[in-house]
Amino acid sequence: LDWMGRWHKRGYTYYAGLYNPSFCPKQKTKPDSSQACENSDTDKFFQKLKHKIANTHLIPGKGDWYYHLPFSLRKYLRKSAIDVNMAMGADFSRKRRPVLSDSAGLTDLAIRYIQKYKQDNFFLFVHYWDNHIPYTAPVSSVKEYLRKYEYPRDSVRSLKAKLGPTRASDLVSKATRGRTPKTTGEILAHYDASISYVDSNVGRIYQTLADENILDDTLIIFTADHGESLGENDIHFDHHGLYDAQMHIPLIMHHPSLPSGGVYDEFVQPFDIMPTILDIAGIPWDASDFCGQSLLNLIHKQQWDRDFVYGHEKAGQKKQMIRDHKFKYIQAMDDAKCRYCDKYHSKGDEFYDLISDPSEQKNIIDNPQAKKYLEKLEKYVASMKSPEKGDHVEFSDEKYIVERFKALGYM
């Protein structure tokens, strides 16, 4: 993915199937090659990466034909593409590439890497997109869900009319590959099928680790960067807003040093993952360098002192929030409407009683408790470290990246 390419400059061996010549571990050369890697090749690598990403069919309209093929044919095309990719390395960007926005294609590639580097220490980041709009589950799976379950029959045309000429309406049109579904239920079935599709491919990676006898030597972390609103809070098939539909994400970890079957009802945030990895790897770290805490304190010692979580967004509206088990306070940081929906989902600050109103429908900002939560929010924000000032960094592909973000609905 575009933004992951920045990390690649600092150390990925492969990224989206391309070998990175700027990654030069000591006494190592490019795999299957006698030539030492040259930093002068880096610019060529990023030109190839830019070309490849532009053709991974992540943007609606690119490669829609692929998603309407029978699953067996999709599998054949992916295998052929992966075979070429592994054989040709960087030159593969000029040939037929796997459709990396298909979780099965991405998993095929991940499995090849696991099998190739199972004797070495490796870090593998697999980012699935199937349950991110546009939803890309196989059509046969979607039809199965529509047969098995009862879905709403509300008209998509009526929903688009309600949303008007907005970016939110455009997202509904692009919710699936190809034609716009006639009912919202069809979109929901695509989403549900995409969840199952991703789940099955996560299982393939897990099974590969077991088959290669490295499962008990591997730390597996399954998580997400956001949830998805499927109509909650009048947000349709997207993930802006600070409501629980977006903010409550999964975090599942597997490692021989961790107890199996443990479930913990505590407030954890993504920044707790990094110190946890360091602890499990036995790497010393300084608590002053991290916002987060190691989850081993919770898992092994049953010690956890966080009684709320904080969130911030700038995609739809500029807001920040604080939430504990009882209440959530959302502070509006300007008076702008939602940039996606051209409306206020709730104008001004919001306060919700999560016990009596878990779906966050009734704003009780006049509740006497609200002032206490606002003060707690402001105190927490004031305690944050300001980022160190440094020189502004620009990338040669900055304009291209902005265009990609816009196409995906992030800007």
Side-chain angles (χ1 to χ4, degrees):
L1 301 176
D2 308 327
W3 50 94
M4 289 291 290
R6 311 302 189 218
W7 302 1
H8 194 288
K9 291 181 181 181
R10 299 194 289 273
Y12 274 105
T13 315
Y14 282 93
Y15 179 76
L18 297 182
Y19 177 74
N20 177 20
S22 67
F23 179 66
C24 301
K26 292 181 180 178
Q27 300 179 341
K28 284 191 176 183
T29 59
K30 177 177 177 179
D32 305 323
S33 172
S34 60
Q35 297 181 346
C37 54
E38 299 289 344
N39 287 334
S40 60
D41 291 335
T42 302
D43 289 341
K44 294 179 181 178
F45 164 78
F46 278 99
Q47 286 298 316
K48 291 178 179 178
L49 179 62
K50 176 179 175 180
H51 172 74
K52 182 170 187 178
I53 289 175
N55 288 279
T56 55
H57 304 163
L58 193 60
I59 298 177
K62 279 185 174 288
D64 284 346
W65 58 270
Y66 171 86
Y67 296 94
H68 293 275
L69 294 175
F71 185 74
S72 58
L73 183 53
R74 284 171 65 167
K75 184 175 181 180
Y76 171 78
L77 290 175
R78 289 197 311 272
K79 182 181 183 302
S80 300
I82 294 291
D83 287 341
V84 174
N85 180 38
M86 297 299 286
M88 300 186 67
D91 290 335
F92 174 72
S93 64
R94 299 173 186 154
K95 306 294 181 182
R96 174 65 63 190
R97 74 247 350 123
V99 184
L100 294 179
S101 53
D102 177 345
S103 66
L106 193 56
T107 302
D108 293 343
L109 192 59
I111 288 174
R112 294 292 185 99
Y113 288 147
I114 291 171
Q115 293 170 335
K116 186 172 183 177
Y117 296 105
K118 61 185 177 182
Q119 302 299 330
D120 302 322
N121 292 328
F122 64 85
F123 169 76
L124 178 66
F125 185 98
V126 184
H127 193 165
Y128 293 118
W129 279 79
D130 305 72
N131 49 335
H132 183 295
I133 202 167
Y135 310 131
T136 57
V139 175
S140 57
S141 298
V142 176
K143 290 180 178 178
E144 181 180 357
Y145 268 85
L146 288 170
R147 285 195 303 268
K148 291 175 62 175
Y149 303 102
E150 187 70 27
Y151 284 96
R153 299 184 180 183
D154 301 322
S155 165
V156 167
R157 179 178 295 180
S158 298
L159 175 60
K160 287 176 58 63
K162 171 188 170 185
L163 295 172
T166 61
R167 293 168 68 184
S169 179
D170 291 340
L171 285 173
V172 172
S173 297
K174 299 173 182 177
T176 63
R177 296 285 181 171
R179 69 172 183 83
T180 301
K182 294 181 179 179
T183 68
T184 58
E186 290 181 58
I187 301 178
L188 292 171
H190 274 82
Y191 181 76
D192 290 344
S194 295
I195 294 286
S196 294
Y197 191 47
V198 168
D199 182 71
S200 67
N201 281 290
V202 171
R204 291 176 60 208
I205 290 180
Y206 186 92
Q207 187 60 51
T208 298
L209 294 170
D211 292 343
E212 301 297 336
N213 296 314
I214 56 175
L215 179 62
D216 288 339
D217 193 32
T218 304
L219 169 61
I220 302 172
I221 299 175
F222 177 84
T223 190
D225 54 344
H226 55 73
E228 189 86 338
S229 284
L230 306 174
E232 300 92 338
N233 306 100
D234 210 18
I235 300 172
H236 300 272
F237 312 109
D238 196 51
H239 43 266
H240 58 278
L242 295 176
Y243 305 107
D244 276 8
Q246 294 86 21
M247 302 299 292
H248 193 181
I249 60 175
L251 176 59
I252 303 171
M253 303 175 64
H254 176 278
H255 188 262
S257 67
L258 304 177
S260 62
V263 179
Y264 304 90
D265 186 24
E266 300 289 348
F267 286 118
V268 171
Q269 296 202 249
F271 51 53
D272 296 316
I273 295 175
M274 177 73 169
T276 304
I277 293 174
L278 296 177
D279 260 4
I280 292 176
I283 300 173
W285 56 282
D286 189 334
S288 64
D289 292 334
F290 294 91
C291 296
Q293 308 173 47
S294 170
L295 292 169
L296 296 193
N297 294 330
L298 171 61
I299 296 170
H300 291 315
K301 302 176 183 177
Q302 302 296 307
Q303 296 176 356
W304 200 251
D305 60 3
R306 185 179 298 143
D307 60 0
F308 66 87
V309 287
Y310 167 82
H312 180 102
E313 79 140 339
K314 293 181 67 177
Q317 293 177 269
K318 190 175 181 181
K319 293 192 173 189
Q320 58 184 4
M321 72 94 184
I322 193 170
R323 180 209 199 279
D324 62 18
H325 288 292
K326 294 182 178 180
F327 295 99
K328 176 186 287 187
Y329 193 102
I330 301 177
Q331 181 185 29
M333 302 175 72
D334 60 28
D335 192 42
K337 294 180 180 179
C338 173
R339 288 191 286 273
Y340 287 87
C341 307
D342 194 28
K343 59 174 284 186
Y344 295 105
H345 294 290
S346 186
K347 188 173 183 179
D349 290 6
E350 303 166 60
F351 190 61
Y352 298 100
D353 183 334
L354 301 173
I355 304 299
S356 63
D357 181 25
S359 59
E360 301 166 281
Q361 298 296 312
K362 186 178 180 181
N363 184 1
I364 54 170
I365 192 62
D366 294 329
N367 186 296
Q369 290 272 14
K371 182 178 179 181
K372 182 178 74 172
Y373 278 78
L374 175 59
E375 291 172 351
K376 192 173 185 177
L377 171 61
E378 292 177 337
K379 181 180 179 180
Y380 176 76
V381 173
S383 72
M384 292 182 184
K385 292 182 180 179
S386 299
E388 296 180 4
K389 292 185 178 180
D391 296 332
H392 177 68
V393 178
E394 292 185 352
F395 296 92
S396 60
D397 57 353
E398 201 79 27
K399 182 178 178 181
Y400 167 74
I401 298 300
V402 169
E403 292 173 354
R404 291 276 292 152
F405 275 128
K406 287 180 177 178
L408 290 168
Y410 284 108
M411 299 180 67

